[in-house]
Amino acid sequence: MKESLWNSILSVRKNSPLVHNLTNYVVMNNTANALLAAGASPIMAHAHPEVEDMVTICGASVINIGTLDEYWVESMLKAAKKAHGLGKPWVLDPVGAGATAYRNETVASLLTYKPTIIRGNASEIMALAKVGEAKSKGVDSVHQSTEATGAAQWLSNTYGSVVCVSGATDVIVSGNKKILISNGHPLMQLVTGLGCTASALTGAFAAVSNDKLTGTAAAMALLGIAGELAQKESAGPGSLQLNILDKLYTINQEEFFTYLKAEEDNG
Ligand SMILES: Nc1ncnc2c1ncn2[C@@H]1O[C@H](COP(=O)(O)OP(=O)(O)OP(=O)(O)O)[C@@H](O)[C@H]1O
Ligand SMILES: Cc1ncsc1CCO
Ligand SMILES: [Mg+2]
């Protein structure tokens, strides 16, 4: 598995996929920079007259509901419908799902277009699957990622999606297959939108990977290891944010193989 994860990283660097992002105001700049640092090519676009054309020309679309409003939700539905119709990969990041009825209604509509990949924290994934009583307190998770494995499996089976629950351990599920990535550092929780960055990177990897489970795991491993390496050189969240961009760009095979903590379970 080690080699296939690393090959996915090389494939993003070599193919520089165009990744369409409908994302939130908080993270727009940072996710664009993370995609560039990983070797991909970002485009942020949500205007109704162009959003479907953008889906058509890009390798993947990433739909993140972080700062949604009526206009943006229409853009998201148009994009998801187009991607589904063309059979193009698209990633759903259900930021804050479970926190408000509006977010729940929005993700319910988006799910009808069967996201290729769903990436959220444990509370969001549990809210999405309506499993348990997800007590979402806004955009931060109040659950451990491993608590949401059942919800992830249900979503994967229901929508045919690869589902990634991020956290201290990233749990990535496709049907009865599962990959666990235990990289990252707790300080990453104090940088806003690293989950959104994970989703954006997942879009880049989906654009170049036939095997979406491996592609998603590679994206998560890359971000987690970049976070671990960056933390060693950072005084706090501010420098961590910048240093992660540098590590996404410079990470080499030796560092990747030394730090990777991945486990596979093929059911
Ligand atoms: N406790 C932790 N220990 C180690 N790494 C962590 C921890 N929490 C998060 N991470 C790292 O941060 C990444 C982002 O995951 P997180 O679950 O924090 O996303 P999120 O809650 O959606 O964030 P946001 O909403 O701010 O974008 C994880 O994939 C992991 O690499
Ligand atoms: C803080 C915040 N609020 C809406 S989106 C976002 C970025 C983290 O998901
Ligand atoms: Mg999030």
Side-chain angles (χ1 to χ4, degrees):
M1 178 178 42
K2 253 175 140 170
E3 278 76 16
S4 53
L5 296 178
W6 178 247
N7 284 336
S8 301
I9 292 170
L10 293 182
S11 183
V12 170
R13 288 180 178 174
K14 178 162 158 265
N15 295 300
S16 195
L18 196 54
V19 182
H20 172 215
N21 298 267
L22 272 142
T23 192
N24 64 72
Y25 294 114
V26 183
V27 304
M28 230 182 258
N29 177 271
N30 211 55
T31 50
N33 278 319
L35 284 166
L36 284 169
S41 188
I43 175 84
M44 279 45 191
H46 61 271
H48 292 177
E50 69 167 1
V51 73
E52 288 155 319
D53 290 345
M54 212 49 100
V55 171
T56 307
I57 64 169
C58 287
S61 295
V62 180
I63 299 182
N64 174 309
I65 68 158
T67 52
L68 75 181
D69 69 17
E70 290 92 336
Y71 186 91
W72 283 59
V73 169
E74 277 308 307
S75 311
M76 291 171 191
L77 291 169
K78 275 177 185 280
K81 185 175 183 184
K82 188 72 182 179
H84 181 58
L86 293 174
K88 287 224 169 186
W90 74 278
V91 180
L92 173 63
D93 187 329
V95 181
T100 66
Y102 186 43
R103 282 176 198 257
N104 290 347
E105 285 156 21
T106 300
V107 288
S109 305
L110 286 167
L111 282 172
T112 61
Y113 301 115
K114 299 190 185 314
T116 317
I117 298 158
I118 302 169
R119 199 290 321 161
N121 62 40
S123 295
E124 291 159 348
I125 295 298
M126 288 164 80
L128 218 55
K130 297 191 178 74
V131 169
E133 308 254 312
K135 295 189 187 73
S136 184
K137 60 165 181 105
V139 299
D140 295 318
S141 184
V142 294
H143 293 98
Q144 300 296 315
S145 52
T146 43
E147 290 177 61
T149 304
Q153 269 155 350
W154 183 85
L155 286 166
S156 181
N157 291 330
T158 305
Y159 300 104
S161 312
V162 169
V163 181
C164 172
V165 193
S166 63
T169 296
D170 301 317
V171 181
I172 304 133
V173 171
S174 178
N176 53 10
K177 294 185 187 164
K178 194 162 75 181
I179 298 179
L180 305 179
I181 303 286
S182 302
N183 291 107
H185 189 278
L187 193 62
M188 292 171 76
Q189 295 169 101
L190 297 188
V191 176
T192 190
L194 283 180
C196 308
T197 295
S199 299
L201 291 174
T202 298
F205 282 73
V208 300
S209 309
N210 292 325
D211 174 356
K212 307 299 185 211
L213 175 69
T214 302
T216 303
M220 300 310 291
L222 173 63
L223 180 63
I225 295 173
E228 263 175 74
L229 294 171
Q231 186 277 330
K232 294 181 193 297
E233 299 168 15
S234 305
S239 41
L240 180 63
Q241 181 169 33
L242 285 180
N243 287 330
I244 285 178
L245 292 177
D246 290 349
K247 294 299 177 187
L248 289 173
Y249 179 70
T250 60
I251 211 161
N252 61 34
Q253 186 180 27
E254 193 192 335
E255 288 170 319
F256 188 76
F257 284 179
T258 304
Y259 280 84
L260 180 66
K261 290 195 208 101
E263 272 175 71
E264 205 169 8
D265 175 354
N266 288 318

